[in-house]
Amino acid sequence: TEYTGEDFSLYTERIVVNPRVKYKKLFSLLKLMLAAVLFGAVACGVMVILYPFLDRRINGESQPQSSLIMKKDEYLIDYDSSEDILERPAQTEEAAAEVKSLSEIVENARKCMVVLEGVYIADEEQPYEDGEREDVAGLIVGELEDYYVILTDEKLMRMTGGGCVVKFGESAVGQAYLIGSDSYSGLSLLRAEKNSISSSEDFDVSIAVLDNSYIVEEQDEVVAVGRISGSMDEVRYGNVSALTTESSVDNSFEIFETGIVPSAGDYCYFFNMAGNVIGIGRPSEDLQHMEVLGISDLKPMIEILSSSSDIVYLGIRGTNVTTSTAERYKLPMGIYITDVIMDSPAFYAGLQSGDVITQFNGNTVLTIQEFSEKLYQCSNGENITVTVKRAGRDEYRELTFSVVLAVRQSSVPGER
């Protein structure tokens, strides 16, 4: 402070603060910030460089489970009241131009198919040791990290104990392990480790292209490859003779009937004339014909099984309400509940047969295919809301139910 001449006459010099002292706090703050930056850089380096090594040392070589991402196909229902049929999207000109020869379809199909060797085919009531060993057809539907994802029959894989030998082409042999199974849709997914595959020569592997089965129509030409009439690696050529629907728990499957006569234990894959997979073939219950599950209905299940996640369920069977049926029976648009499974989450929440589901977690759903896709994305114990329209004396009233989802068991009475 400069002297004013009024007091302290002996102090006449000016006092100036040392800059080092003046900016001491600022220097301290800058040092602290620099130290934080250096610490962060060192920490990032340790995480990037040392963490993978330490993780392998502590937890082994296992990596987090990945999952397939399936392109879902839109199921279009009849919005034309003059038609009492499903409105099916027409095949595009591009797809129609991709028609291949039968020999080319079969050649490409075999590149994406494998043989699961020595699998037990045993009846549920038959002891494991009495089961007969047979080969089962598998389909390569994906490739994740260091393994191939193989789709096959849940019933035939039930007695394997989770693993089997897998054969690629003529000479390559590896080991496959169970990822997950679902008895409702009859699917199993296996993982074939690439480092377990041994071969005396190069082998050609390709991933199957899963097409849109919702565009399949009666009389469409199809090619079946797999286990047919009890023989492996068989090929059948034919036409779709009929289209029906099979109701399942929380889902519905389109069924294509063909003129192929099956045997018990058959399991094959159906390709369209573009060489893409449109369904999975299995014998009808009376063994009179081969019925084909449309692959579009199975894509959400394949995706969830590939992640080894638990499959949650609501516990209803239902059917889509089309415009024509809505007008005929005075129903609201949505999913008509035909049955509620006893002791299921839907049962305890208060849903009833005759209710029409219109919303799932506040989002509009008009088809059971869309409903099941949203449901499979939920987790065990999750609380969801289901909005329905319930018939009253004079009109339908809207009700919203809170449902706590649970993991569904292997099967319920009446399920395949």
Side-chain angles (χ1 to χ4, degrees):
T1 305
E2 188 175 357
Y3 173 64
T4 62
E6 295 177 357
D7 297 309
F8 308 105
S9 58
L10 294 178
Y11 296 92
T12 60
E13 63 274 0
R14 178 184 299 176
I15 301 174
V16 180
V17 178
N18 191 322
R20 297 181 61 183
V21 176
K22 183 177 182 180
Y23 296 107
K24 182 177 181 180
K25 291 185 178 180
L26 178 60
F27 291 151
S28 299
L29 179 61
L30 290 175
K31 289 180 180 179
L32 181 62
M33 293 177 63
L34 180 61
V37 171
L38 291 175
F39 178 79
V42 172
C44 290
V46 171
M47 291 295 291
V48 171
I49 298 173
L50 293 182
Y51 178 78
F53 171 76
L54 295 175
D55 183 60
R56 287 194 296 269
R57 295 279 296 181
I58 297 173
N59 300 320
E61 297 295 329
S62 62
Q63 298 294 328
Q65 175 71 46
S66 300
S67 63
L68 297 177
I69 304 299
M70 291 278 139
K71 179 184 177 182
K72 311 304 190 305
D73 303 314
E74 184 179 3
Y75 186 90
L76 300 179
I77 62 175
D78 166 36
Y79 289 108
D80 182 359
S81 60
S82 64
E83 299 286 343
D84 191 18
I85 60 174
L86 292 177
E87 177 85 23
R88 311 183 75 83
Q91 188 178 27
T92 63
E93 293 182 3
E94 181 181 357
E98 294 178 350
V99 173
K100 295 180 172 61
S101 66
L102 179 59
S103 60
E104 188 178 2
I105 292 172
V106 174
E107 179 183 358
N108 292 334
R110 285 174 172 159
K111 291 179 182 179
C112 61
M113 293 183 64
V114 298
V115 176
L116 306 172
E117 296 187 325
V119 174
Y120 274 104
I121 298 180
D123 188 87
E124 293 181 354
E125 299 179 358
Q126 188 179 30
Y128 175 84
E129 56 270 18
D130 294 338
E132 180 183 359
R133 286 188 179 272
E134 295 283 358
D135 292 343
V136 180
L139 183 73
I140 304 174
V141 294
E143 183 178 1
L144 292 173
E145 300 172 359
D146 56 351
Y147 61 91
Y148 295 109
V149 180
I150 299 173
L151 174 67
T152 191
D153 186 7
E154 180 271 338
K155 185 176 181 181
L156 302 185
M157 292 302 301
R158 195 174 297 165
M159 306 300 291
T160 63
C164 63
V165 174
V166 57
K167 184 176 180 181
F168 299 82
E170 295 296 328
S171 60
V173 177
Q175 192 71 25
Y177 301 94
L178 186 66
I179 299 175
S181 291
D182 175 57
S183 61
Y184 293 77
S185 57
L187 301 182
S188 280
L189 282 190
L190 309 177
R191 58 183 288 161
E193 308 290 345
K194 293 180 181 178
N195 58 15
S196 74
I197 302 173
S198 60
S199 177
S200 57
E201 57 187 38
D202 293 337
F203 61 98
D204 194 1
V205 173
S206 63
I207 309 301
V209 177
L210 307 185
D211 214 332
N212 184 358
S213 61
Y214 294 145
I215 66 176
V216 174
E217 298 179 340
E218 289 188 23
Q219 302 307 315
D220 279 359
E221 297 173 318
V222 291
V223 179
V225 185
R227 181 187 170 97
I228 305 173
S229 299
S231 178
M232 280 297 300
D233 204 25
E234 286 292 307
V235 177
R236 294 287 190 274
Y237 175 82
N239 300 83
V240 176
S241 58
L243 298 171
T244 58
T245 301
E246 180 180 288
S247 180
S248 182
V249 175
D250 298 328
N251 209 339
S252 179
F253 303 119
E254 283 205 310
I255 304 294
F256 314 140
E257 294 184 9
T258 67
I260 298 175
V261 179
S263 299
D266 282 359
Y267 202 76
C268 61
Y269 305 93
F270 279 74
F271 298 79
N272 58 21
M273 299 312 294
N276 301 331
V277 178
I278 51 94
I280 297 176
R282 65 186 186 186
S284 61
E285 293 184 352
D286 57 6
L287 297 180
Q288 295 301 307
H289 62 272
M290 182 77 74
E291 59 183 24
V292 187
L293 277 72
I295 200 67
S296 293
D297 288 328
L298 302 175
K299 288 180 181 180
M301 181 56 65
I302 294 173
E303 184 174 284
I304 192 66
L305 284 178
S306 71
S307 66
S308 300
S309 300
D310 291 328
I311 302 172
V312 297
Y313 83 125
L314 181 68
I316 59 104
R317 289 188 180 90
T319 185
N320 298 329
V321 178
T322 65
T323 303
S324 55
T325 55
E327 291 185 354
R328 181 180 303 174
Y329 300 106
K330 307 303 179 185
L331 295 172
M333 298 295 293
I335 305 158
Y336 184 87
I337 298 178
T338 59
D339 186 30
V340 176
I341 307 303
M342 185 72 69
D343 296 328
S344 67
F347 175 84
Y348 289 118
L351 293 173
Q352 298 177 5
S353 299
D355 289 346
V356 179
I357 297 176
T358 58
Q359 292 184 8
F360 184 97
N361 274 344
N363 298 314
T364 300
V365 288
L366 293 178
T367 68
I368 195 167
Q369 288 79 8
E370 183 182 10
F371 166 83
S372 62
E373 181 181 338
K374 293 182 181 297
L375 177 65
Y376 295 153
Q377 296 172 1
C378 299
S379 56
N380 182 29
E382 184 173 343
N383 196 317
I384 65 166
T385 59
V386 177
T387 301
V388 305
K389 289 189 176 180
R390 178 172 293 175
R393 287 188 175 182
D394 300 320
E395 59 182 11
Y396 278 85
R397 54 195 176 106
E398 187 171 272
L399 302 173
T400 298
F401 295 89
S402 178
V403 186
V404 179
L405 299 177
V407 175
R408 70 187 190 186
Q409 303 302 312
S410 59
S411 63
V412 295
E415 285 297 311
R416 296 172 66 104

